[in-house]
Amino acid sequence: MTMQRALVLEKQHELALRDIDLPLEVAPGMVRISLHTVGVCGSDVHYYTHGRIGPFVVDAPMVLGHEAAGTVMEVGEGVTHLAVGDRVCMEPGIPDPNSQASRLGMYNIDPAVEFWATPPIHGVLTSEVVHPANYTFKLPDNVSFAEGAMVEPFAVGMQAATKAGIKPGDTAVVLGAGPIGTMVALAALAGGCARVIIADLAQPKLDIAAQYQGIIPVNIREKNIVSEVNALTEGWGADVVFECSGSPKAWETVIDLPRPGGCIVVVGLPVEPTVIDIASASTREIRIETVFRYAHQYARAIALIASGKVDLKPLITETFDFEESIKAFDRAVEARPSDVKLQIRMPQR
């Protein structure tokens, strides 16, 4: 164990910048990484404000942060694809490689997965971390640390687009223009959609999404989303619908949005049970897919960013110095409609 200064969630509503013992031993197959940029995720904020997410309860001090990029400082025995000095981003979930889920390629739903900043696992809002090399990805020279720290949320969008089975020229609908909804829209466009209709109640969020060619914003305070989709598709419906809001109320209209034989991908997690019109879905053979984090998406996400086909830089609203971490989290709690992604820059040697 090594004492490191970190942003620690002591308990619900209480954050502290203080020293804490964290493991830094570099075993075979591992790398030690100096953190450069860490994003503030909605789950981090939820632990701060609620102290728990479902069965995961903060009952001991925990370092926050899981969207991260940095520089390799040391490589363990057997690591050949990374070297000291490499700029990298890290996939924050570490599964059991021998679990049945991992053997089937679905390591993201391995019950034994250890995920940064998910109790009782510490996150990475600290100076250094040790991580498996197999879940550490080299950043191309034209991809910044800030973009590298955006790969984690973008991977969720990539997982959603993959599960949708998008075909070139498809029309998609995204419900919810928050950070994940916007990432899903960009992944859908990169995956072959000709256009993405994105719906939200907050106009500032829609304005940010509308910066991207191919995204059509719809303010559902002013317009009926079903009517808008029907008008844009000549009454046929969307090929794919991504539910990213997590609102149970969204399900009052979700089934009415896809075309016959279309697909609904559930990305947002409702906080309460929801009712689905199975009869309507069945008679039109609507396919329903679900998403939990991601698997095998990091390399593809990095390749898209490096190619210029996906530009995540406009989504970075503000960057805070590490010593302003508590201020950054309090800003995130405000949930300003004009904020997409807040990031924290770690001290550099």
Side-chain angles (χ1 to χ4, degrees), residues 177-262:
I180 293 298
T182 304
M183 298 280 190
V184 168
L186 295 177
L189 288 172
C193 282
R195 56 184 176 172
V196 177
I197 303 159
I198 190 164
D200 203 285
L201 296 164
Q203 190 59 45
K205 293 182 180 180
L206 294 169
D207 292 340
I208 293 167
Q211 296 178 76
Y212 293 95
Q213 185 177 1
I215 294 183
I216 303 169
V218 175
N219 189 322
I220 52 177
R221 288 190 189 276
E222 303 168 358
K223 297 178 180 178
N224 179 278
I225 184 60
V226 177
S227 298
E228 289 297 305
V229 171
N230 283 337
L232 288 165
T233 62
E234 299 181 341
W236 179 235
D239 299 290
V240 183
V241 177
F242 299 96
E243 205 310 282
C244 301
S245 71
S247 169
K249 188 173 177 59
W251 284 94
E252 296 175 7
T253 56
V254 168
I255 294 292
D256 299 325
L257 295 171
R259 63 167 172 81

Side-chain angles (χ1 to χ4, degrees), residues 7-16 40-53 58 62 64 325-334:
L7 179 68
V8 180
L9 178 59
E10 305 286 6
K11 59 183 179 180
Q12 183 181 0
H13 301 310
E14 185 178 328
L15 288 171
V40 178
C41 177
S43 64
D44 295 320
V45 176
H46 199 87
Y47 282 123
Y48 177 31
T49 56
H50 292 79
R52 66 182 301 156
I53 296 177
V58 179
M62 180 180 76
L64 291 172
S325 293
I326 297 175
K327 178 182 175 182
F329 270 77
D330 287 339
R331 164 78 169 268
V333 170
E334 295 178 31

Side-chain angles (χ1 to χ4, degrees), residues 5 41 68 90 133 339:
R5 187 164 171 79
C41 177
M90 297 76 77
D339 284 352

Side-chain angles (χ1 to χ4, degrees), residues 55-111:
F56 299 102
V57 181
V58 179
D59 53 15
M62 180 180 76
V63 178
L64 291 172
H66 64 263
E67 303 174 1
T71 303
V72 174
M73 304 298 289
E74 182 181 354
V75 299
E77 181 183 347
V79 177
T80 58
H81 69 287
L82 295 171
V84 172
D86 283 348
R87 299 165 55 257
V88 294
C89 64
M90 297 76 77
E91 191 167 337
I94 307 170
D96 173 1
N98 297 313
S99 73
Q100 190 165 353
S102 293
R103 292 199 303 271
L104 290 171
M106 303 182 296
Y107 62 85
N108 55 312
I109 53 174
D110 173 15

